[in-house]
């Protein structure tokens, strides 16, 4: 689904390229997964707090926290998440749309419905004009509105590097959760968006070329994919963002105690992704993703370019679902745990 522009008035100033004000771009600027796990090692979620039961916390690095609210049987659970990043495209309105869709995705990845969001904005106030910041916020508000999610305030910081995103709260039926530790042998793996966003965004940052197919993919909400997964009876899913397909699949397989097998020939890629990879537009985040999963992966005869694309750091990617989702390609399956967590054919 493409999020329409609701206002044709545009304010970007000629010659301003937002991506040049950031050391990285989008979810590729995440702290590397191995380093992040060292930081949070030993931190655990309480089983309950203030009468609320923690259903999903820190234990498996899932997409969002889920807490069952007091109230007895039939009570909904709250889903909470936050996500923000540096500019992934030069157009401020599109950056806002992408960042909002990415933040909302964590709620959809748990099977939930977003209700309210607050903006998170870091802005170099002495370097970039505030009319660009306004366009960023407008893009985020428009996407949230299309999701039926209210944007109510937020927080801003004067920062040398521009960053934008949202903290989002939603609800979910605790009996119909999608979580990353519920995979079982025999489940197929479906991917609801093609890969290649990282290499195309990196090429955009380096050359200024615009890739409409990437923008359309990043601004598409994962709402329909989540509904389809739940309707198909899925109980296990994650979204594919900064740790790449292989990174997020590794976390899912590890949390579920299984091995994940990927058919690399079945994985869809955006037009131009392979060309961008061959031209060398590989982010540092992608290379760190690949280095992280390599000790746990049997790559067989898979070549290095394919490995990098499978580890490509995505921004606002699709859902990776343990189950068949109508219209989404099946890219592999979960099998009983073997000597490797991941097998790529």
């Amino acid at each position: 689904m493409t999020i329409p522009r609701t206002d044709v008035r545009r304010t970007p100033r000629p010659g301003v390229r937002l991506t040049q004000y950031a050391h990285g771009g989008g979810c590729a600027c995440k702290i590397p997964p191995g380093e992040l796990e060292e930081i949070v090692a030993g931190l655990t979620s309480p089983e309950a707090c203030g009468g609320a039961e923690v259903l999903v916390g820190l234990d498996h690095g899932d997409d969002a926290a889920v807490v069952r609210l007091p109230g007895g049987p039939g009570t909904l659970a709250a889903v909470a998440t936050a996500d923000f990043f540096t500019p992934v495209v030069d157009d401020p309105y599109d950056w806002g749309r992408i960042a909002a869709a990415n933040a909302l995705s964590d709620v959809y990845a748990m099977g939930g419905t977003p209700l309210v969001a607050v903006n998170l904005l870091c802005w170099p106030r002495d370097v970039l004009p505030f009319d660009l910041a306004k366009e960023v916020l407008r893009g985020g508000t428009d996407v949230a509105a299309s999701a039926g999610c209210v944007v109510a305030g937020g927080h801003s910081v004067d920062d040398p590097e521009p960053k934008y995103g949202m903290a989002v709260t939603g609800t979910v039926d605790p009996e119909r959760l999608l979580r990353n530790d519920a995979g079982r042998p025999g489940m197929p793996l479906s991917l609801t968006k093609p890969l290649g966003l990282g290499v195309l965004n990196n090429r955009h940052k380096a050359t200024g070329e615009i890739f409409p197919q990437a923008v359309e993919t990043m601004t598409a909400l994962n709402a329909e994919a989540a509904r389809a997964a739940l309707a198909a009876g899925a109980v296990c899913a994650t979204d594919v963002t900064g740790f790449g397909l292989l990174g997020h699949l590794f976390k899912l397989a590890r949390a579920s105690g299984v091995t994940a097998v990927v058919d690399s020939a079945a994985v869809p890629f955006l037009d131009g992704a392979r060309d961008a990879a061959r031209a060398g537009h590989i982010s540092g985040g992608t290379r760190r993703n690949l280095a992280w999963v390599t000790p746990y992966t049997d790559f067989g005869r898979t070549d290095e370019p394919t490995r990098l694309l499978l580890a490509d750091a995505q921004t606002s990617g699709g859902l990776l679902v343990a189950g068949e989702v109508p219209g989404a390609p099946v890219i592999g399956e979960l099998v009983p745990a073997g000597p490797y967590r991941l097998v790529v054919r």
Side-chain angles (χ1 to χ4, degrees), residues 3-7 93 96-97 100 135-149 151 164 166 221:
I3 307 301
R5 297 178 184 273
T6 60
D7 183 349
Y93 181 78
R97 298 164 70 213
E135 283 295 284
V136 175
L137 295 173
R138 188 168 68 88
T141 299
D142 284 353
V143 165
S146 74
C149 180
V151 179
Y164 173 66
M166 290 179 168
L221 295 172

Side-chain angles (χ1 to χ4, degrees), residues 61-88:
D62 217 324
D63 295 294
V66 181
V67 178
R68 192 198 304 265
L69 301 174
T75 303
L76 291 175
V79 186
T81 185
D83 212 312
F84 63 102
F85 47 67
T86 53
V88 69

Side-chain angles (χ1 to χ4, degrees), residues 5 7-8 10 14 25 29 35 69 79 87 131 159 161 185 189 210 235 287 293 305 307 309-310 315 325 336 339 344:
R5 297 178 184 273
D7 183 349
V8 297
R10 308 302 303 281
C29 64
E35 295 177 19
L69 301 174
V79 186
D131 58 352
D159 192 295
E161 194 172 53
L189 293 168
I210 296 173
V235 295
R287 296 189 186 279
V293 301
R307 298 182 190 189
L309 283 169
L310 293 176
T315 296
V325 178
V344 181

Side-chain angles (χ1 to χ4, degrees), residues 83-129:
D83 212 312
F84 63 102
F85 47 67
T86 53
V88 69
V89 293
D90 291 324
D91 184 297
Y93 181 78
D94 282 345
W95 175 31
R97 298 164 70 213
I98 293 164
N102 183 74
L104 294 165
S105 180
D106 284 341
V107 175
Y108 295 130
M110 305 303 297
T113 301
L115 291 181
V116 61
V118 292
N119 288 312
L120 303 172
L121 179 69
C122 299
W123 201 257
R125 51 185 293 275
D126 293 329
V127 178
L128 290 173

Side-chain angles (χ1 to χ4, degrees), residues 196 198-200 202-203 269 272-283 286-287 304-310 312:
V199 289
L200 291 177
N202 223 34
R203 185 165 187 160
F269 292 94
R274 289 193 178 274
D275 289 341
R278 281 193 291 266
H281 297 288
I282 307 294
S283 70
T286 292
R287 296 189 186 279
E304 184 74 5
T306 300
R307 298 182 190 189
L308 286 165
L309 283 169
L310 293 176
D312 188 40

